[in-house]
Amino acid sequence: MTECIPVKQRIMRGGDSKLNVIVVGAGLGGLGAAIAILLAGHNVLVLESASEISEVGAGIQILPNSSRVLQSWGMRAALAVHATRPKQVNILGWKGNLISSMNFQDSASRYPGTFYWDFHRASLHKCLLDRAVELGATVRCNSRVVDVRICGTGKEARVVMESGREIEADLVVGADGINSKLREVMLGREDPPIPTGDLAYRLLLYTSEMMKDPELASLVTDPQVNYWLGPDMHAVNYVLKGGKLFNMVLLVPDDMPAGASTLEGNVEEMRALYKDWDPRIPKLLSMCESVCKWRLCIRPGMDTWSHPSGAFTLLGDAVHATLPYLASGAGMSLEDAAVLGECLSRITSKASAEKQIALQIYENCRKGRTEMVVQRGNLQQYLYHLHDGPEQEERDRRMRMVPTPPGE
Ligand code: FAD
């Protein structure tokens, strides 16, 4: 029988120990923060700039660390309905030669009760939203926050919305993503994200077409995550919705005009980039009719995540957006949320210095790990995109040396 991760029970509190918290941004990190803070016994209002709550993009991989967090929030059953559990990850050369494999079940078994889960983003997002609302979150759309001001006794903050409306809270959590306005408010200056030189094409195919071709059908019937590594580019695929959808992400040199973050892509240009790769990739790309491309940027971290008042902090991509090459950006946002919730669960009086201390501990727990993930993402970019030659051969040799878990 699979071991279960203990589910956190909601702390009951009242009076001076109950904080009114505003979370800015209803993305994966913001909704995770709402859940964790509600479980810590506080009130949460989520303000989202978009006109409706939705998630763009196609697939998302959830690794054992964040599957543990999601289960601790009581979401295991709701998520299991939508999750695909891939059997293994294969690292391939760009011509399709197998470099190495890792069995996911054996790997996750080192962390009992955890999983490798693949989701359609919209499913994961909806489960987080449902759980936040079930726990008592108020979520308001059309609420773009443009400023945060410290007010009251210097221990509260007021958010200012684009509409001119202002709302006060004991704590404001900026979870407004990679293009974060609240990060700039915290720093007191403009601070755009840093382009990495890569962009991503993200596509989703119905597997019914693929099943007609035996070479492609094997990518569906035996759910696996595949990484193809090649000169200056790589490609990743995994299946979603129990094999109904095929998710593919192509990571290539950035050719987008300055200032753009997302654009409609040219399918012919995309196909041309991969025409000499593993023949399955051109076949897959021939099934795609339209595509979007996303500039990939990073945020290497911040010296300080919180305002000294203890009334304003940041979380997720707003602080430490990373290249998606470790499939860990959302996982880091969910971990941030869990740690922030844990720190705020210890508050006994909002009038005391406990809020400042809680935010300091939150930052101390998260800073080193998230900065390491951003740096490792940059290193993966270098390693994944090596040109054929001695360095690439040495990379492949080392990848083969990684001990294969038992059961392979
Ligand atoms: P977001 O999800 O961006 O949410 C920010 C929210 O804030 C949005 O809803 C936005 O509308 C709102 N907002 C913005 N400004 C304001 C404002 N001023 N006022 C109010 N609301 C505002 N991560 C993984 O863990 N696994 C993966 O497999 C994975 N794959 C990826 C593949 C690609 C191609 C990319 C680009 C990323 C991938 N990631 C992955 C990373 C992951 O998507 C992000 O790290 C994660 O979504 C960050 O969550 P967040 O809540 O911090 O920000």
Side-chain angles (χ1 to χ4, degrees), residues 74-87:
M75 297 176 62
R76 179 177 167 147
L79 288 170
V81 178
H82 302 284
T84 302
R85 283 175 63 184
K87 284 190 189 151

Side-chain angles (χ1 to χ4, degrees), residues 48-60:
E48 166 58 46
S49 57
S51 57
E52 60 179 327
I53 305 286
S54 64
E55 175 65 37
V56 282
I60 188 149

Side-chain angles (χ1 to χ4, degrees), residues 196-198 323 325 376-385:
T196 58
D198 284 356
L323 272 166
Y325 299 173
R376 285 283 308 278
N378 295 345
L379 179 62
Q380 294 300 86
Q381 179 185 34
Y382 176 78
L383 293 174
Y384 281 2
H385 296 177

Side-chain angles (χ1 to χ4, degrees), residues 339-350:
V339 173
L340 180 61
E342 187 60 40
C343 294
L344 295 177
S345 73
R346 313 298 168 97
I347 300 272
T348 59
S349 159
K350 61 184 171 190

Side-chain angles (χ1 to χ4, degrees), residues 78 120 177 208 250 254 276 281 327:
H120 193 289
S208 45
L250 308 176
D254 182 359
D276 297 324
I281 298 185

Side-chain angles (χ1 to χ4, degrees), residues 204-224:
L204 212 48
L205 302 172
Y206 284 104
T207 50
S208 45
E209 269 306 294
M210 292 171 61
M211 296 305 284
K212 294 174 192 159
D213 180 328
E215 221 183 8
L216 300 184
S218 64
L219 291 170
V220 178
T221 46
D222 195 20
Q224 305 191 357

Side-chain angles (χ1 to χ4, degrees), residues 27-317:
L28 300 173
L31 292 174
I35 294 168
I37 297 168
L38 286 159
L39 286 169
H42 306 292
N43 296 324
V44 176
L45 167 64
V46 183
L47 298 176
E48 166 58 46
S49 57
S51 57
E52 60 179 327
I53 305 286
S54 64
E55 175 65 37
V56 282
I60 188 149
Q61 300 180 67
I62 289 294
L63 310 186
N65 54 325
S66 29
S67 86
R68 179 193 297 278
V69 167
L70 291 162
Q71 292 183 75
S72 76
W73 292 339
M75 297 176 62
R76 179 177 167 147
L79 288 170
V81 178
H82 302 284
T84 302
R85 283 175 63 184
K87 284 190 189 151
Q88 65 181 46
V89 58
N90 303 312
I91 307 290
L92 306 152
W94 62 288
K95 292 288 189 185
N97 50 304
L98 180 67
I99 300 171
S100 69
S101 296
M102 183 183 79
N103 182 296
F104 277 141
Q105 244 169 22
D106 292 337
S107 169
S109 68
R110 280 180 275 164
Y111 312 98
T114 66
F115 303 105
Y116 284 87
W117 273 335
D118 292 341
F119 290 101
H120 193 289
R121 280 175 174 256
S123 310
L124 174 60
H125 196 249
K126 173 81 167 51
C127 288
L128 285 163
L129 176 65
D130 289 349
R131 184 68 176 135
V133 170
E134 182 189 11
L135 288 166
T138 305
V139 183
R140 279 193 210 145
C141 293
N142 290 311
S143 302
R144 178 176 295 281
V145 173
V146 292
D147 202 3
V148 179
R149 294 177 192 151
I150 304 306
C151 62
T153 58
K155 286 195 161 83
E156 291 97 52
R158 184 183 299 140
V159 296
V160 182
M161 285 185 270
E162 203 172 33
S163 61
R165 188 160 174 223
E166 301 187 1
I167 312 178
E168 230 174 271
D170 299 306
L171 175 63
V172 175
V173 180
D176 53 341
I178 189 161
N179 295 307
S180 174
K181 173 69 188 164
L182 271 62
R183 177 186 174 110
E184 296 192 335
V185 171
M186 182 77 80
L187 291 170
R189 59 177 165 84
E190 286 191 1
D191 188 33
I194 302 167
T196 58
D198 284 356
L199 68 80
Y201 288 103
R202 297 161 99 172
L203 28 139
L204 212 48
L205 302 172
Y206 284 104
T207 50
S208 45
E209 269 306 294
M210 292 171 61
M211 296 305 284
K212 294 174 192 159
D213 180 328
E215 221 183 8
L216 300 184
S218 64
L219 291 170
V220 178
T221 46
D222 195 20
Q224 305 191 357
V225 179
N226 294 301
Y227 282 73
W228 286 266
L229 313 184
D232 300 323
M233 316 195 295
H234 73 285
V236 182
N237 98 265
Y238 47 95
V239 295
L240 302 174
K241 298 214 174 244
K244 289 198 188 79
L245 293 173
F246 188 81
N247 182 67
M248 194 144 191
V249 188
L250 308 176
L251 300 307
V252 307
D254 182 359
D255 64 355
M256 287 166 68
S261 57
T262 316
L263 285 178
E264 196 173 330
N266 179 314
V267 180
E268 291 306 328
E269 272 176 28
M270 176 184 74
R271 287 180 188 144
L273 288 168
Y274 286 87
K275 69 178 176 17
D276 297 324
W277 283 49
D278 179 339
R280 292 175 293 180
I281 298 185
K283 268 194 204 176
L284 287 162
L285 299 188
S286 72
M287 295 176 173
C288 166
E289 284 163 15
S290 65
V291 73
C292 272
K293 52 186 188 181
W294 308 60
R295 169 166 283 145
L296 297 178
C297 295
I298 56 164
R299 298 280 197 183
M302 290 175 84
D303 289 344
T304 319
W305 291 27
S306 304
H307 191 272
S309 61
F312 177 24
T313 193
L314 298 171
L315 172 149
D317 273 12

